[in-house]
Amino acid sequence: MAVTRPALIALTALAPVSWGTTYAVTTEFLPADRPLFTGLLRALPAGLLLLALARVLPRGAWWWRSAVLGALNIGAFFPLLFLSAYRMPGGMAAVVGSLGPLLVVGLSAPLLGRRPTARSVLTGVVAASGVSLVVLEAAGGLDALGVLAAVAATVSMSTGTVLTQRWGRPDGVGPLALTGWQLTAGGLLIAPLALLAEGAPPALDGPALGGYLYLALANTALAYWLWFRGIGRLSATQVTFLGPLSPLTAAVIGWAALDETLGPVQLAGMALALGATLVGQRAPRTRTVTATPAPVVPRRTPAEAATARPAGTEKGARRDTRPGAPSGVR
């Protein structure tokens, strides 16, 4: 059954909406100060599950491509994201992450051959401004390492998004297998880091097990499958402009479930970010170049060809036809 473009956009949007629940689930149900362990349990079980469902392994160049995409989209992104969240206010991390659409617009020029348009740049600026109004708090100092981690996480995910579209998928391989490859590769990258930096896994109670189960299945396996499926059918710019839905979802959950407030400034920021998200879903314009037809040269008769003056000779000039005369002498 064919999926219409609006339905495809709506399904892809479920991914950042799901990611917007990560902060609430992490703070309310999961052990504190275990970002690498949390990233590992998000990525590796989900990747192995999707591999078991797809039953397809990479071949040829797709072994190293899957490793690169898995590192960018999962293995580096998860630890850097959690590191930034632990070292500075979550609002500031969300603001840095909202710059992702602008990075994707910029990277699409060298990697996809798509020049940035004024509309896409302006839309990215409006989206980042809207997210800033929603989540940015005046209080709280900035941590240099936290800022660097947030920037690196945004660059990593943006680069992975563009490369995912540049490389596409192997023939006969669906988004389920591609997502499984990346999640498994990313999880295997995080595993030794989590063991070295955080030691043995912590003891888990019922809420923690439920939280990790939700993160692995809905928040990661399903959400990333929808995300990579969208990248394969929409432009990278369209997909990344759905990203602001993540901090907006987090803000709504904080207001509804965590007793946080949403004032007029935050509501105005939501309107700006949502408007930019909708504008970002407009199909990109493609320029078509019309080739100029070559002039039709009439055929000449043998007699005309014999008496025709050689090309490039001046009017009235006589060609030296003596035997042994250099070519081109007039």
Side-chain angles (χ1 to χ4, degrees):
M1 180 179 177
V3 179
T4 63
R5 184 171 170 273
L8 177 61
I9 293 174
L11 289 172
T12 307
L14 292 177
V17 169
S18 173
W19 298 333
T21 66
T22 304
Y23 178 77
V25 172
T26 301
T27 57
E28 296 299 314
F29 302 108
L30 304 186
D33 301 325
R34 303 304 294 262
L36 292 175
F37 179 72
T38 298
L40 174 62
L41 286 194
R42 281 189 68 187
L44 192 56
L48 294 175
L49 173 62
L50 295 185
L51 282 182
L53 293 175
R55 296 187 177 182
V56 178
L57 292 177
R59 293 182 180 179
W62 274 99
W63 281 105
W64 68 264
R65 287 182 177 180
S66 299
V68 170
L69 294 178
L72 291 171
N73 291 321
I74 309 297
F77 176 70
F78 279 5
L80 289 169
L81 181 67
F82 282 115
L83 177 61
S84 66
Y86 273 94
R87 296 189 67 93
M88 65 180 185
M92 188 62 202
V95 170
V96 177
S98 68
L99 298 176
L102 289 174
L103 286 174
V104 168
V105 169
L107 290 171
S108 293
L111 296 180
L112 301 179
R114 298 174 183 170
R115 290 183 295 179
T117 64
R119 187 190 76 187
S120 60
V121 173
L122 179 60
T123 304
V125 171
V126 172
S129 301
V131 171
S132 301
L133 293 176
V134 174
V135 301
L136 187 57
E137 299 177 358
L142 295 182
D143 178 83
L145 181 58
V147 172
L148 289 176
V151 172
T154 304
V155 172
S156 180
M157 185 66 171
S158 300
T159 306
T161 298
V162 176
L163 284 179
T164 299
Q165 183 160 90
R166 175 182 174 86
W167 289 337
R169 298 194 305 267
D171 293 337
V173 174
L176 191 70
L178 181 65
T179 306
W181 299 347
Q182 295 186 53
L183 287 172
T184 303
L188 292 176
L189 179 63
I190 298 173
L193 298 177
L195 183 61
L196 292 175
E198 298 178 354
L204 302 178
D205 56 12
L209 288 173
Y212 281 125
L213 187 63
Y214 166 77
L215 289 182
L217 296 180
N219 189 268
T220 303
L222 178 59
Y224 272 93
W225 172 71
L226 291 172
W227 184 255
F228 292 131
R229 181 172 176 265
I231 293 176
R233 302 186 183 188
L234 301 169
S235 71
T237 304
Q238 286 176 290
V239 173
T240 196
F241 269 115
L242 296 172
L245 294 176
S246 180
L248 297 185
T249 302
V252 171
I253 291 176
W255 167 76
L258 303 178
D259 296 327
E260 298 178 1
T261 59
L262 286 177
V265 174
Q266 286 78 19
L267 294 176
M270 280 189 172
L272 283 176
L274 287 174
T277 299
L278 293 175
V279 173
Q281 300 316 303
R282 294 177 59 185
R285 296 178 180 177
T286 55
R287 296 184 177 182
T288 56
V289 180
T290 304
T292 303
V296 179
V297 180
R299 290 189 175 184
R300 294 179 295 184
T301 64
E304 291 173 336
T307 57
R309 187 173 67 249
T313 59
E314 299 178 359
K315 184 177 181 180
R318 289 184 297 176
R319 184 182 179 117
D320 191 347
T321 58
R322 292 172 298 170
S327 173
V329 175
R330 293 181 178 84

